[in-house]
Amino acid sequence: MQQVAHRKQHRRLVTLVAPATVLGLAALATRLPLAQRYPALALALFLWLAADSLMLARLADADGKRPAANQIVATLAAACAIVAIASPPPLQAALRTMPAALGGMVLVLLAHVGMATVRARGIVLGADRDARWERAAAQFLPAPLVRFARLELAVLHIALLRWGGPADVPPGARAFAYHRHLTPMAIALLSLSAIEVAVYHLFLGHWSRVAALAMFMVSDLGLVYLVGLVKSFRFRPILIDGDGVRVRAGFLIDLLVPLAQIDRVTMAFRGDEIRDSGTLNAALLAWPNVVIYLRAPVVRTTWLRRGAYQRVAFRLDEPEPFVRLLHWRLENP
């Protein structure tokens, strides 16, 4: 099973990296003098490479299944949008003088928008209301891009707008904090980051105004994200609810472990179990004090990895109440 998961992870990595590499090289090639001397031919080759690489990635990610019609149209629409945006001015000017090619690209984009609108309307009006707006937006844009945008907005909201209030605990759930043991380390990390940003600005400002501005954008945005991450530790505690245990570590981890899959929970475990690849260690900057053993593996998917775990470990500020409540839930399903 681990070998199958590794193969899927490798295939997923290839389907992300390979098309991005091909598109990046093709975009660079369109800026060569030879390509700008023959813009129509360069444009046709760029469009062919974009459509071919994205379609091959779609077929590889489908795991042997035939892509649906809407997936094919979405892939072709993505290729058209990339070519229209990434082409240099000479190729864009050539595209405007080719009504057949321009009209075909516009029709593909309109077909994608029309089909996506129909599917998004069904999701918004459907009975399943869980993350409906995110799933509706994923009909128009790639799902990883939508998830990334949602996470970015959530981080900025917590970092800039939430300075108090209760944690995010749904009705009927019991929350267990893990942020108090992280507070001293988080304050030290934020202080060091702020000093580092100030020093960088001071030295780069004397050397290059452009470099100072670029460093300002990168370092200050990183500092804002770090503030959002540290604050998310308090706003996103670990939960026990009617569905199971929701293991969270700020924005970094959010995994639901169903009660039916839990075999036992303990505060006594071996160190080699924590270091094993079959254990998801959600403890941050500390050794875990709670481990959940599972009857069946729980799957966690990230950007580039899909792992199956037999154990989930984490650290709580007060582990005893958590263990007692989970024991009671397991004995009284």
Side-chain angles (χ1 to χ4, degrees), residues 103-116:
M105 294 171 65
V106 171
L107 286 177
V108 171
L109 288 169
L110 291 177
H112 167 60
V113 171
M115 297 172 72

Side-chain angles (χ1 to χ4, degrees), residues 258-322:
L259 281 176
Q261 290 184 229
I262 298 177
D263 180 47
R264 60 190 176 93
V265 57
T266 182
M267 295 172 58
F269 46 85
R270 302 192 313 271
D272 60 317
E273 292 178 325
I274 304 301
R275 291 184 287 269
D276 186 79
S277 60
T279 300
L280 174 62
N281 188 358
L284 300 173
L285 303 176
W287 189 252
N289 55 12
V290 177
V291 175
I292 294 177
Y293 293 82
L294 306 176
R295 294 190 177 95
V298 64
V299 177
R300 178 173 179 257
T301 302
T302 58
W303 286 93
L304 299 176
R305 183 180 182 184
R306 180 182 175 88
Y309 301 98
Q310 295 281 357
R311 294 170 294 274
V312 181
F314 46 88
R315 184 175 185 86
L316 295 173
D317 294 330
E318 298 179 0
E320 293 84 1
F322 174 89

Side-chain angles (χ1 to χ4, degrees), residues 32-225:
L32 296 175
L34 182 63
Q36 300 195 12
R37 189 182 306 169
Y38 304 99
L41 179 59
L43 183 68
L45 289 174
F46 190 16
L47 182 60
W48 172 72
L49 283 173
D52 190 57
S53 60
L54 292 178
M55 190 61 69
L56 288 175
R58 170 72 71 179
L59 293 173
D61 196 45
D63 198 14
K65 299 178 182 178
R66 182 179 178 181
N70 64 287
Q71 294 177 325
I72 296 175
V73 173
T75 303
L76 295 176
C80 294
I82 290 172
V83 170
I85 295 172
S87 294
L91 270 68
Q92 293 181 355
L95 179 60
R96 289 192 289 269
T97 64
M98 302 165 61
L102 182 60
M105 294 171 65
V106 171
L107 286 177
V108 171
L109 288 169
L110 291 177
H112 167 60
V113 171
M115 297 172 72
T117 301
V118 173
R119 295 193 306 275
R121 183 178 182 273
I123 291 173
V124 172
L125 300 179
D128 185 6
R129 302 288 172 148
D130 184 31
R132 55 175 178 168
W133 294 109
E134 180 181 343
R135 291 186 289 116
Q139 306 306 312
F140 297 91
L141 299 171
L145 181 61
V146 173
R147 289 195 297 269
F148 178 75
R150 176 185 58 80
L151 180 59
E152 294 295 296
L153 292 175
V155 171
L156 292 176
H157 176 259
I158 284 186
L160 301 176
L161 301 179
R162 291 190 66 176
W163 295 96
D168 299 332
V169 182
R174 174 79 180 274
F176 297 89
Y178 55 85
H179 69 279
R180 286 194 289 272
H181 77 277
L182 292 170
T183 299
M185 291 178 284
I187 293 175
L189 185 60
L190 284 173
S191 301
L192 291 175
S193 299
I195 294 172
E196 182 183 15
V197 168
V199 171
Y200 278 148
H201 288 182
L202 179 63
F203 281 96
L204 286 177
H206 289 285
W207 174 61
S208 171
R209 186 179 298 273
V210 175
L213 180 61
M215 180 58 68
F216 171 79
M217 296 178 63
V218 173
S219 60
D220 286 26
L221 186 59
L223 189 60
V224 169
Y225 278 36

